[in-house]
Amino acid sequence: MADWLSERWLTYLQRELLLLPMTPGQQKSAGRGDARLEFARGAITAQVGVGRSGTTATATMRFKPLGQREWRRIEEAIARDPEAARRLLSGSLGPELEDLVNQAGFSLFPRGHGRQFRCTCGERWGCRHQRVLAVRAAQSFAANPFLWLQVLGRGREELLAGVRANLADQARAAGHMPAAALAPLLDPDRFLETETDPSSIPVRPGDAAVPDALLKVLGPLPLDPHLNRTRRYEVVRVTRWGSTFHVHQAVEETAEQVLARYYSAISAGAAALARGERTPVYRDEPLPGRRLPPRERIAGEIMALVDERGGCVELEEVLTSCPTAAALPDDTAYQTVQDAAAHLPDPYLLLAGHYAARRDTLLAGATFRHVITWPEWQARRLSPSGDWFLALTLAGCRPPFAVEVDGGHAARTVGGAAADRTRLAAEGAAGGAAGGSGVLGDPARPDPAFAALRPEVGDELRLTVVQVEPLRLSVQLHRRAGRDLLDPLPADQAAARIVATKVSVDPYRGLSEAEAIQLLLAEGFYRPGRVPDPVWLLPFPAVGEALRWGPDRRLVASYWGRASLQPGITHDHWRDGGQLAAGFARFLAEFPPREQRAASVLAEAWAERWPGNPLDPLRPPPLGAFLHFLLNRVPVIARQAKLSAEGTLQAMRLLFRYLVQVSPAMAAAYAPFLAACEAVEPFRHRLETLPPLHTPEFQLWEMEGFRWLGPELSL
């Protein structure tokens, strides 16, 4: 298998700007494209299927081939290297071929003029059909590298004949028998050598694409006409006079037809033996060892394929790459593969139901972006709802996690799910926290990450996996004032596009939060340069994809993604005949006119946001609704009214103090509201960074407000 030529071919197309760079997902999709390729001198042509209508598009890549003089010089260079000549004459092309072509003064991949790409779809450059041609050609070159030499103007037989002629000329010029010059080629000790591992050759027993292909290649038997005819009798049903009879009828057959029947029966028996469905008849006892059911055999093949690729493998690819899966019937193959992948042993994982991977290769170097949310800032503890924590636990890691924070401090961070909090608290009490930064699991104290870094709401943590077994994280802090809101946007848009494509398969069922995180892990996100925001922010309008959050925290298809992020429940409008507003006006009478106007405007805006009864202790306004109002709406009102951060929060405090004064039973409900109005610095940052309304920058600013809220208050 000439994988080196396949990789060099794709690198050549992208480096020479003959083809746009492809993501791993685009490359896999192109590799599954329906195409029929033809390789000729100077051209590669592909008939690419378009959709399900049966129409095709013709993509063509033309290259200027090398001339006869150039090829003679290349053949001489090959003949001067005995090892390269031996490998070539044995049917193998290695990476040294490119070096030999360069030594001859030419390039194995043409540059400059003489290259032309066309497609009948109308796009001149980089269309999907060109990508299918490029990837399918790379697969063909991996199986038969001589096809690329054929495009460059030299067929396999012609090249081998030229190399042999040069070897013979060298032997005659040396004045001894050619056998001496060809000794490396005729060495009996190396006759059976091969550079290919036999176990890596895929064996897929099953039906051939062309029935009786071997017999058709061999051609007719050289028999006399009277020997090429045989007669046999078969039982047929004959209907006469309203009745059916079974009679023996003579059938004339040729020798090829007789052999075809034997060939089909023998092939079917060999395929059954290869699948383990029958035992060889010449054995009195079964084969030694334990007979493996298809699920266990496929699981072993999946693990071998994952180890070979060194990354994630799609289960659809297993259907064509694993021998046992390829031999299964089409209607049950994928379900059997999914069942086998669901029972892979540790450290192998099934991701989003469609990918298989190893934990160490999946998490090595993974990087997660986490913005400190308002609930985390108040509790001084990291929440278990962050993508970083969900991704690690879904990959089989168990908290608490060892952490290296800025400055080289070692600590352990807690982010366990609610069910694990008791266990984590017990472990923390037994082991203590490194560096004396608090007892693990103690809700009264900040966790070690907060104790060491002291982050504020809106600060960003970058969590990088520096070691998988045992898991160790490195945490870096980026203050909110130095963060660039545009930085995660390209990764957000790419991630949302991948998720939206997956959701479109079943837009009503959608995709769960855990499945979305596993999908992004498998697709190569959460890596340096491709670190998106947490999943709960992907339905935001700034990402440009029609996604929203449905019931049970599932991403579903929608054109109203922003509405899904509005927290709280809107109750019927509550009216008190204006008595509450009149009482509030009397309450404000003792304050300066500027504070009176600010409190009145903000109280009216909050009443529009929460039209329910503000004095109902059974259904008080949710804190999430107020924080959404405080972070995204109040700064706009303060800018229009030319209010300072301190003055705005003082006006909001007046409103809630009045409500508590009217109804003391609401004191506990409004306590977190008043505490939020004491956080001057976060609100000042929101007010100072507010851009002009109705601009792309305003969308990003509003998205930052949702980052501060977190999933508990945003969904």
Side-chain angles (χ1 to χ4, degrees):
M1 302 290 287
D3 292 335
W4 70 271
L5 183 58
S6 172
E7 296 173 1
R8 282 286 293 114
W9 160 258
L10 293 176
T11 303
Y12 158 69
L13 292 180
Q14 296 178 9
R15 184 170 296 172
E16 293 290 317
L17 301 181
L18 302 176
L19 195 70
L20 289 174
M22 289 182 287
T23 65
Q26 288 176 325
Q27 188 167 335
K28 291 178 183 178
S29 176
R32 295 191 297 263
D34 180 18
R36 186 173 67 254
L37 271 67
E38 294 181 3
F39 298 88
R41 187 177 187 273
I44 306 174
T45 305
Q47 300 288 335
V48 183
V50 180
R52 300 182 179 178
S53 61
T55 59
T56 61
T58 303
T60 305
M61 292 184 179
R62 298 188 181 278
F63 303 92
K64 184 179 180 180
L66 301 174
Q68 293 292 334
R69 181 180 301 176
E70 289 88 346
W71 274 112
R72 282 197 294 271
R73 291 175 58 181
I74 294 173
E75 291 165 357
E76 292 173 359
I78 295 174
R80 286 194 296 269
D81 188 333
E83 185 65 21
R86 181 190 68 80
R87 293 187 59 177
L88 179 66
L89 294 178
S90 64
S92 175
L93 286 180
E96 71 277 357
L97 176 65
E98 186 172 8
D99 297 333
L100 294 172
V101 173
N102 293 338
Q103 292 175 15
F106 309 106
S107 175
L108 189 61
F109 297 95
R111 298 181 179 180
H113 300 290
R115 302 172 301 189
Q116 188 179 51
F117 286 17
R118 287 184 178 179
C119 184
T120 56
C121 70
E123 294 187 29
R124 295 186 177 181
W125 183 56
C127 66
R128 178 181 180 275
H129 314 106
Q130 294 283 3
R131 293 199 301 268
V132 172
L133 188 156
V135 176
R136 291 293 300 276
Q139 297 172 356
S140 299
F141 295 153
N144 182 7
F146 288 94
L147 289 174
W148 177 238
L149 302 185
Q150 178 182 337
V151 174
L152 295 181
R154 209 59 157 184
R156 173 174 180 165
E157 297 303 327
E158 191 177 1
L159 177 63
L160 297 181
V163 173
R164 290 192 186 98
N166 277 277
L167 289 172
D169 292 342
Q170 292 179 14
R172 284 194 294 269
H176 46 72
M177 295 298 292
L182 301 181
L185 307 176
L186 305 178
D187 185 355
D189 294 334
R190 307 178 67 176
F191 180 72
L192 296 179
E193 268 194 8
T194 176
E195 296 183 355
T196 302
D197 182 6
S199 63
S200 68
I201 301 175
V203 179
R204 304 182 185 89
D207 297 333
V210 179
D212 305 333
L214 180 59
L215 297 178
K216 292 178 181 178
V217 170
L218 295 175
L221 294 175
L223 298 175
D224 294 335
H226 69 282
L227 297 176
N228 200 27
R229 291 288 176 183
T230 62
R231 176 178 293 181
R232 65 181 179 89
Y233 291 90
E234 64 179 14
V235 178
V236 297
R237 300 175 62 182
V238 178
T239 302
R240 291 288 188 276
W241 309 291
S243 300
T244 301
F245 305 91
H246 292 83
V247 299
H248 292 272
Q249 182 174 335
V251 178
E252 295 285 343
E253 284 186 329
T254 64
E256 285 86 354
Q257 292 173 323
V258 176
L259 287 176
R261 287 192 291 110
Y262 280 104
Y263 175 73
S264 299
I266 293 172
S267 300
L273 286 174
R275 292 192 295 263
E277 297 173 357
R278 57 180 292 186
T279 304
V281 296
Y282 60 82
R283 290 182 179 271
D284 296 331
E285 69 282 348
L287 292 172
R290 183 172 64 91
R291 184 175 179 180
L292 294 178
R295 192 183 78 180
E296 292 186 33
R297 295 179 60 182
I298 293 174
E301 293 170 357
I302 292 175
M303 290 187 288
L305 186 61
V306 169
D307 292 340
E308 178 187 348
R309 300 292 174 83
C312 290
V313 174
E314 285 193 70
L315 297 189
E316 291 183 358
E317 190 177 355
V318 173
L319 296 176
T320 57
S321 300
C322 295
T324 305
L328 294 175
D330 294 340
D331 55 342
T332 62
Y334 191 75
Q335 183 60 43
T336 305
V337 169
Q338 269 194 323
D339 189 30
H343 293 83
L344 292 175
D346 193 73
Y348 296 90
L349 308 168
L350 177 63
L351 301 173
H354 296 281
Y355 300 86
R358 282 180 60 99
R359 183 188 302 113
D360 50 0
T361 57
L362 183 71
L363 295 182
T367 302
F368 303 92
R369 184 192 309 273
H370 182 78
V371 175
I372 300 299
T373 63
W374 197 283
E376 290 175 331
W377 177 64
Q378 286 185 318
R380 312 305 291 174
R381 306 185 62 79
L382 292 179
S383 166
S385 59
D387 278 17
W388 66 276
F389 182 83
L390 295 177
L392 295 177
T393 52
L394 290 171
C397 302
R398 292 292 177 263
F401 305 130
V403 172
E404 297 175 356
V405 298
D406 283 341
H409 300 286
R412 292 166 67 89
T413 181
V414 178
D420 295 330
R421 292 190 185 277
T422 303
R423 177 178 61 82
L424 295 177
E427 292 177 357
S437 53
V439 179
L440 296 179
D442 184 0
R445 299 186 181 183
D447 65 22
F450 262 90
L453 296 174
R454 303 182 183 278
E456 299 291 334
V457 59
D459 291 349
E460 181 181 278
L461 301 182
R462 288 293 183 95
L463 300 103
T464 302
V465 178
V466 295
Q467 181 178 306
V468 180
E469 297 292 345
L471 185 70
R472 191 171 79 253
L473 302 175
S474 172
V475 182
Q476 292 183 344
L477 176 67
H478 299 271
R479 293 295 181 184
R480 64 191 175 206
R483 289 177 46 225
D484 181 6
L485 300 187
L486 289 172
D487 181 41
L489 191 58
D492 285 354
Q493 293 173 334
R497 193 176 306 117
I498 294 290
V499 172
T501 302
K502 196 68 175 179
V503 167
S504 65
V505 176
D506 192 349
Y508 297 103
R509 177 186 176 275
L511 205 65
S512 70
E513 185 176 12
E515 290 172 332
I517 292 175
Q518 293 181 74
L519 174 65
L520 297 181
L521 268 175
E523 288 289 339
F525 287 88
Y526 303 114
R527 298 284 171 186
R530 298 192 79 197
V531 185
D533 268 316
V535 166
W536 73 77
L537 289 168
L538 295 186
F540 205 80
V543 303
E545 294 293 336
L547 293 170
R548 73 175 179 87
W549 283 102
D552 302 324
R553 291 176 71 98
R554 303 191 73 85
L555 284 161
V556 296
S558 173
Y559 291 98
W560 308 101
R562 178 183 176 187
S564 68
L565 287 176
Q566 301 289 345
I569 303 173
T570 301
H571 294 286
D572 296 333
H573 200 285
W574 177 76
R575 299 177 182 275
D576 66 339
Q579 297 179 12
L580 193 63
F584 186 49
R586 289 192 297 273
F587 174 78
L588 295 176
E590 60 185 54
F591 294 96
R594 184 178 180 82
E595 292 187 15
Q596 294 181 26
R597 288 193 298 271
S600 300
V601 170
L602 292 172
E604 183 178 352
W606 171 240
E608 292 178 358
R609 176 65 187 90
W610 181 256
N613 184 355
L615 301 179
D616 185 358
L618 299 179
R619 294 198 305 178
L623 177 62
F626 173 67
L627 288 178
H628 173 272
F629 173 73
L630 179 67
L631 296 177
N632 287 347
R633 179 60 185 157
V634 173
V636 177
I637 299 174
R639 174 70 62 83
Q640 293 171 345
K642 298 182 179 179
L643 301 175
S644 65
E646 294 82 355
T648 304
L649 295 179
Q650 170 63 16
M652 291 300 306
R653 285 196 296 270
L654 292 176
L655 169 63
F656 297 119
R657 272 203 250 152
Y658 168 72
L659 294 176
V660 172
Q661 177 179 320
V662 172
S663 176
M666 299 298 296
Y670 284 121
F673 292 59
L674 290 168
C677 293
E678 298 292 340
V680 178
E681 288 305 319
F683 183 79
R684 190 196 311 279
H685 179 79
R686 292 293 288 168
L687 184 60
E688 292 176 351
T689 58
L690 174 64
L693 304 183
H694 311 300
T695 61
E697 292 77 12
F698 180 76
Q699 279 191 335
L700 294 176
W701 178 87
E702 195 174 27
M703 192 172 184
E704 175 72 358
F706 282 104
R707 289 193 186 99
W708 289 21
L709 290 172
E712 296 89 350
L713 302 180
S714 292
L715 300 180

